[in-house]
Amino acid sequence: FTVESLLSGKFATDYEKYLSDQFIGRNKWITLKTGVERAAFKQDISDVYFAKDDYLIEKHTGVFTTDTARRNAVLLGQFFTKLSQTYDSSHLTAMVVPNAVDILRDKLPAFADPYDEENYLSEVKAALPEGVWFDTSAVLNEKKAGTDSDSEENLLYYRTDHHWKTLSAYYVYEQWLRTRNLGETSIDQYSRTTVTDSFEGTISSKLGISGKADSIERFDPDTPFDYYLIYNQSDDIRNTVYQKQALDTKDKYAYFYGGNYGLIEAVMPDAKTGRKLLIIKDSYAHCFAPFTYADFDEVDMLDPRYYNSSISQLMASKQYTDVLFLFNASGFAEEPAIARLAA
């Protein structure tokens, strides 16, 4: 509470939101509502499709046609246009990763209409300088078509959560590595480990129900190397991406890095690549970034939602050789912190 927030109306608005989230029995009422609507054979509830093969897929209704969505496309274009004055396009990448509703269309009910997202991604691409856009949609659609996408080991998205799976991140990394002339890799060069098979994510929580539990995987290179992580430019230094304690909590996706932080700097002390990568990201990057550690001397992850200093000043001081922007499509379209790219 502050006098300023009271006079502006922000306090009353936030307090009303707090009450709606905190009232007694909230979760039970949400569960009851979902149960009643499912009993009436509804195929979409609270902007979520009840899709084939136990998928809960968010619709993202109206997200891609708002003023914020259009503004963010323009801001991203301006950011990379400015960078292209000093970087070659082969060192710049914009990945706006499609959500499950776009890639898993074959799972959707017959009446579903997910094409707003596809159109929006085309708008984002058009706003960027030549050579910067990386087409993650093409990669994921190709992999989906070329595998038994219904088998557990080939799933591209979680059934109950909004994130893509580690396998999807690997597929995109593999193609990105090749197109940016950073080398070649093969999935056979990694050991895949299932760290939990009891993950129920944000979408099942939104509906107040239990869905079909997901598994979370990690990929470890067969040729290991040393690295350490510096969190928020502090004395919080860790020697692994993977935070096992998160697997005992509801938010099991926090196994990657322990959740969202403003800045995480990964240093590979024995690397001699001469390259340093900045990833400006949301949490979709958390299962992608560890793959890049073999290719750079340093990989920094900056989350504009939590980083309050100047991004341009950080970039000038760290002298990155490569810049990657990685957000999921709906998160990018809705995120007001994209404006911080100009800071």
Side-chain angles (χ1 to χ4, degrees):
F1 175 85
T2 65
V3 173
E4 181 181 359
S5 68
L6 176 64
L7 294 177
S8 69
K10 185 176 185 300
F11 178 81
T13 300
D14 289 349
Y15 186 64
E16 182 178 349
K17 181 179 179 182
Y18 169 80
L19 288 178
S20 69
D21 286 341
Q22 301 296 327
F23 69 82
I24 296 173
R26 172 183 180 273
N27 291 340
K28 290 182 179 179
W29 282 110
I30 291 174
T31 301
L32 177 62
K33 173 181 179 294
T34 299
V36 169
E37 293 185 2
R38 286 294 286 159
F41 301 103
K42 290 195 66 174
Q43 293 299 306
D44 62 300
I45 298 171
S46 299
D47 210 42
V48 174
Y49 290 121
F50 283 80
K52 298 176 184 176
D53 301 322
D54 300 306
Y55 274 92
L56 303 174
I57 298 179
E58 290 181 297
K59 297 167 64 175
H60 306 298
T61 302
V63 165
F64 301 107
T65 55
T66 65
D67 290 342
T68 299
R70 296 187 182 96
R71 182 204 63 180
N72 285 353
V74 171
L75 288 170
L76 188 65
Q78 293 173 344
F79 176 71
F80 276 104
T81 297
K82 183 177 180 179
L83 290 182
S84 66
Q85 297 173 8
T86 53
Y87 287 84
D88 184 87
S89 63
S90 64
H91 293 264
L92 300 174
T93 306
M95 291 184 190
V96 182
V97 181
N99 302 109
V101 71
D102 189 25
I103 300 299
L104 303 183
R105 294 180 192 172
D106 58 315
K107 308 291 185 188
L108 301 178
F111 60 82
D113 183 14
Y115 298 102
D116 277 355
E117 180 165 331
E118 186 176 276
N119 294 336
Y120 180 64
L121 292 176
S122 296
E123 292 177 17
V124 177
K125 177 183 178 181
L128 293 163
E130 185 71 25
V132 171
W133 178 254
F134 185 90
D135 193 350
T136 53
S137 298
V139 175
L140 296 176
N141 278 316
E142 179 185 359
K143 292 299 182 180
K144 178 174 173 289
T147 63
D148 177 7
S149 59
D150 292 332
S151 66
E152 188 70 33
E153 66 176 6
N154 291 327
L155 298 184
L156 298 179
Y157 292 84
Y158 295 107
R159 293 187 183 92
T160 66
D161 190 70
H162 68 285
H163 290 99
W164 60 351
K165 298 198 76 173
T166 313
L167 179 63
S168 295
Y170 170 77
Y171 285 147
V172 170
Y173 163 73
E174 182 181 44
Q175 293 296 323
W176 175 73
L177 199 69
R178 185 178 299 119
T179 60
R180 293 306 187 250
N181 299 316
L182 288 167
E184 299 282 339
T185 188
S186 167
I187 199 168
D188 297 330
Q189 297 173 6
Y190 295 85
S191 299
R192 296 173 63 176
T193 303
T194 298
V195 297
T196 181
D197 57 6
S198 60
F199 175 44
E200 293 194 48
T202 54
I203 307 177
S204 60
S205 295
K206 179 179 181 179
L207 296 174
I209 61 172
S210 290
K212 184 173 182 179
D214 284 303
S215 61
I216 295 177
E217 276 191 312
R218 61 183 275 182
F219 283 46
D220 293 301
D222 290 340
T223 303
F225 53 86
D226 292 331
Y227 68 90
Y228 61 89
L229 306 170
I230 305 170
Y231 280 67
N232 287 338
Q233 298 177 312
S234 70
D235 57 2
D236 182 0
I237 299 176
R238 310 180 194 183
N239 61 5
T240 179
V241 165
Y242 306 109
Q243 309 299 309
K244 293 181 181 179
Q245 66 275 12
L247 299 178
D248 297 322
T249 70
K250 173 67 175 174
D251 184 15
K252 289 179 171 55
Y253 190 77
Y255 177 71
F256 300 100
Y257 295 97
N260 292 302
Y261 292 82
L263 182 66
I264 300 176
E265 300 162 284
V267 179
M268 283 55 75
D270 299 325
K272 306 296 179 185
T273 67
R275 298 183 73 151
K276 188 184 295 187
L277 173 66
L278 173 65
I279 302 177
I280 301 174
K281 60 85 186 180
D282 68 4
S283 55
Y284 261 55
H286 291 188
C287 58
F288 178 94
F291 291 117
T292 68
Y293 289 3
D295 310 303
F296 295 88
D297 298 343
E298 183 174 336
V299 176
D300 295 352
M301 289 201 315
L302 185 152
D303 194 324
R305 299 170 298 174
Y306 303 97
Y307 188 78
N308 296 319
S309 299
S310 167
I311 295 176
S312 60
Q313 288 182 11
L314 176 72
M315 293 180 67
S317 66
K318 297 297 289 280
Q319 297 182 326
Y320 297 105
T321 60
D322 297 79
V323 179
L324 165 64
F325 182 90
L326 199 168
F327 260 70
N328 83 88
S330 65
F332 171 72
E334 294 181 287
E335 183 50 62
I338 298 302
R340 296 197 57 78
L341 292 179

